[in-house]
Amino acid sequence: MSTFLTQSAPNTSTSMAPTFLLVGMPGLSAVPSWWAIALLTVYLLSALGNGAILWIIALEPALHCPMYFFLFLLSVSDVGLTTVLMPTLLGLALADAHAVPASACLLQMFFIHVFSVMESSVLLTMALDRALAICRPLHYPTLLTSGIVSKICLVIAFRCLGLHLPLPFLLAHMPYCRPQVLTHSYCLHPDVVRLACPGAWGAVYSFFVVLSAMGLDPMLIFLSYGLIGRVLQGLGSSGYRWKAGQTCAAHLCAVLLFYMPVILLALIDHLRVPVPQPAHTLLSYVHFLLPPLINPVLYSVKMREIRQRILKRLQPRKVGCVQ
């Protein structure tokens, strides 16, 4: 496989190459059928779980409140992220298709990062929502009105689309001096920027976009949980502390599941830890594919309202006979 990539990739380039070459999971080229079945299973389970969350929140008026609306947005980002990853993943697994046109690569890159930043933004918003509900319970209804929620949605949309929209155009016009071989099974803009010539100014903007989400959001989330922990320690009622902890448990698990692989990858790259490439690639897969698969299970198990409403909707309805 490495020989194919080396021979296929050009040594130098002065403009955007017509194709990029993707690298699949090392060691799985011998078992493409098994790998494709695993990917399809993960995608279908993710779509089914998040679809159930979207379905129950849309249908139940009792769930039309900020906390569940943010959960709705989280499921949208999870479905979008897994959907945009599948074309290149399945292409590698089913057809060993390593070459992807530059335009398709940049389009996939755009949507991957839009949905990733959307998920990060929603996780941050959910943390702030829980902090307000626990730290300011009496003022919560007036602090998080429907108008405020609408403004939060606009901020998230601007953050996802406005920040990332220039990136494909910048990268399309950057000079490339290295072989167009990416290190993942999908297109990521840090990976594409790495191939650009030294001094390409678009790399600075790319770094700023990544840092503004994946660097800032986890810090603010853990700050919110620090405030929540401080308030809960001062409460005398152990029952209220338990109830508040249960409310935050699913979200905290989702936060750790989403950010821990990214933090580990950043530490590995920064400290230059000699980690085998399969382990590095696997962490990337875990970051993108595991949260959409696990989040619906977490929220269905930890949040009683979601679980009860889903079970109620799935129960067969009794139809009476008119005498």
Side-chain angles (χ1 to χ4, degrees), residues 162-199:
L163 287 178
H164 285 85
L165 194 58
L167 280 173
F169 300 100
L170 288 174
L171 293 173
H173 294 89
M174 284 171 62
Y176 290 81
C177 304
R178 300 176 181 87
Q180 268 69 32
V181 180
L182 303 178
T183 58
H184 293 86
S185 305
Y186 27 76
C187 300
L188 305 175
H189 65 68
D191 209 9
V192 177
V193 167
R194 177 183 58 84
L195 305 177
C197 297

Side-chain angles (χ1 to χ4, degrees), residues 105-113 167-168 171 187-189:
C105 185
L106 293 180
L107 188 65
Q108 185 191 47
M109 178 205 74
F110 172 73
F111 282 108
I112 286 176
H113 290 291
L167 280 173
L171 293 173
C187 300
L188 305 175
H189 65 68

Side-chain angles (χ1 to χ4, degrees), residues 30-94:
V31 285
S33 299
W34 176 86
W35 185 227
I37 292 172
L39 286 173
L40 284 171
T41 301
V42 168
Y43 177 69
L44 291 175
L45 290 176
S46 300
L48 181 63
N50 286 288
I53 297 289
L54 295 172
W55 168 68
I56 202 66
I57 292 176
L59 289 183
E60 290 289 341
L63 301 181
H64 294 175
C65 60
M67 179 172 63
Y68 295 109
F69 178 71
F70 297 142
L71 178 57
F72 185 93
L73 293 181
L74 185 67
S75 292
V76 170
S77 65
D78 280 339
V79 171
L81 187 57
T82 52
T83 300
V84 77
L85 287 168
M86 283 300 121
T88 53
L89 289 176
L90 291 176
L92 284 167
L94 293 173

